[in-house]
Amino acid sequence: MSKLYKELADIYEAMYASFIDYDEEYNFYSKILKTHNKKSVLEIGSGTGNLSKLFQLNDWEYIGLDMSREMLEIARNKNPLCAFVEGDMRDFVLEHRIDSILITGRSISYLLSNEDVNSAFKSIHRNLKAGGIFCFDFIDANRFISEIIKVEKVVHKATLVDQKYMRESTWRLNMQHGMDLTWDSIYSKKVKNEYVEIGKDTAVVRPFTKNEIEIFLEINGFKILNIIDRKNYAFPTYVIVAEKQL
Ligand SMILES: C[S@@+](CC[C@H](N)C(=O)[O-])C[C@H]1O[C@@H](n2cnc3c(N)ncnc32)[C@H](O)[C@@H]1O
């Protein structure tokens, strides 16, 4: 797994809270789930628990699931009233089936093989109640790949409580078995007038085309209700709202 979610989890927590507007994320996703009359939600890839807090404060029956112990530890410390479980989205079983399952932050990018995607979608299907909603976002391969092959380096700057951070990313396209990307990133923070490196990470991520996602959902028993083109921080993103079929 990416170092960002293990030994660099504190850096994730500091930087992503300034990249992502979690109030806006909560409003966007909770509105979708409420439209379908859902009251309980499992958030897969709950990370450091920024959405958890908002679901709990708004009286949702909430469970967070993540495979990184380090991310879960931060999430639990911040949200002592929330339920969290350590688990892998490719193979998990909840005690009770749930109304809805949510994956945000393009966390399905870490499902690299077709087998990974099928296993995760099967697990999600199994843990949803009849008519349950599966809502998730993914990086749009068409737009993203054509963008990043034109640039050498992508720089993101962020400020959190007066501390300035920077992430410099480079991307390599791998086409041996499909299309994924090796993502090298260097994280720095500003000390006096210059940025000082605080961590480095290499991860492999998979962007998807809309057609691929449509096929994966169809063969795993989901009907797509809506596809939302959502320009989100940094990457071209689609959000899928799908319903469990029998
Ligand atoms: C990009 S972060 C998103 C975190 C959070 N949703 C947010 O928006 O801040 C991805 C998260 O997915 C988790 N993750 C990656 N692969 C996973 C898997 N197979 N099963 C469960 N969690 C996974 C990582 O540990 C990490 O916390």
Side-chain angles (χ1 to χ4, degrees):
M1 186 196 280
S2 164
K3 259 169 52 182
L4 187 59
Y5 309 128
K6 302 296 282 178
E7 55 264 50
L8 303 184
D10 286 333
I11 294 178
Y12 177 93
E13 167 65 351
M15 281 198 81
Y16 281 68
S18 52
F19 281 166
I20 301 176
D21 181 339
Y22 285 100
D23 288 318
E24 193 187 318
E25 289 285 280
Y26 171 76
N27 289 336
F28 177 81
Y29 286 109
S30 63
K31 193 170 163 198
I32 293 173
L33 303 183
K34 274 188 208 155
T35 304
H36 295 281
N37 297 317
K38 302 306 175 199
K39 295 191 168 45
S40 59
V41 59
L42 170 74
E43 186 198 1
I44 292 180
S46 46
T48 52
N50 291 310
L51 272 184
S52 326
K53 187 188 339 189
L54 296 167
F55 276 106
Q56 186 249 318
L57 284 175
N58 288 284
D59 294 327
W60 284 79
E61 215 180 289
Y62 172 93
I63 305 173
L65 179 142
D66 204 286
M67 72 188 288
S68 158
R69 200 162 292 173
E70 289 79 356
M71 297 292 268
L72 282 168
E73 194 183 327
I74 297 175
R76 283 188 175 117
N77 286 337
K78 281 188 350 198
N79 305 293
L81 298 178
C82 282
F84 290 101
V85 285
E86 188 176 333
D88 188 325
M89 67 175 116
R90 291 167 294 186
D91 186 15
F92 67 95
V93 184
L94 299 177
E95 275 177 32
H96 305 286
R97 290 187 178 190
I98 196 142
D99 290 349
S100 59
I101 296 187
L102 184 61
I103 311 181
T104 74
R106 284 73 55 111
S107 306
I108 76 152
S109 312
Y110 297 103
L111 300 172
L112 297 180
S113 67
N114 291 346
E115 197 185 341
D116 284 344
V117 182
N118 281 328
S119 305
F121 283 16
K122 273 192 181 65
S123 278
I124 288 163
H125 191 278
R126 202 171 44 232
N127 284 283
L128 276 173
K129 288 182 187 166
I133 292 290
F134 175 28
C135 181
F136 64 98
D137 61 353
F138 68 94
I139 301 173
D140 173 22
N142 279 310
R143 286 176 288 174
F144 186 58
I145 291 174
S146 59
E147 258 173 39
I148 50 108
I149 54 170
K150 291 187 205 127
V151 290
E152 222 166 84
K153 186 161 75 171
V154 182
V155 178
H156 290 113
K157 289 191 176 165
T159 305
L160 184 71
V161 207
D162 293 338
Q163 177 63 64
K164 290 187 175 1
Y165 293 95
M166 178 167 70
R167 181 182 70 191
E168 295 163 283
S169 305
T170 52
W171 302 85
R172 275 170 288 139
L173 182 59
N174 311 312
M175 299 185 77
Q176 295 88 334
H177 303 294
M179 281 189 230
D180 55 39
L181 297 142
T182 303
W183 173 25
D184 291 307
S185 40
I186 300 175
Y187 294 86
S188 319
K189 71 176 182 184
K190 205 163 188 181
V191 181
K192 294 188 182 144
N193 277 329
E194 51 184 73
Y195 281 95
V196 178
E197 188 179 311
I198 50 175
K200 267 186 182 163
D201 187 34
T202 295
V204 180
V205 292
R206 177 175 180 180
F208 293 89
T209 65
K210 232 196 293 181
N211 299 74
E212 281 178 306
I213 290 292
E214 283 165 354
I215 295 167
F216 280 122
L217 286 167
E218 162 107 54
I219 62 180
N220 287 295
F222 289 98
K223 178 176 152 205
I224 296 179
L225 303 179
N226 201 2
I227 303 181
I228 303 159
D229 186 351
R230 185 171 186 239
K231 179 78 191 151
N232 205 345
Y233 97 94
F235 309 125
T237 300
Y238 282 115
V239 174
I240 298 281
V241 185
E243 185 179 50
K244 171 176 169 160
Q245 306 295 287
L246 290 179

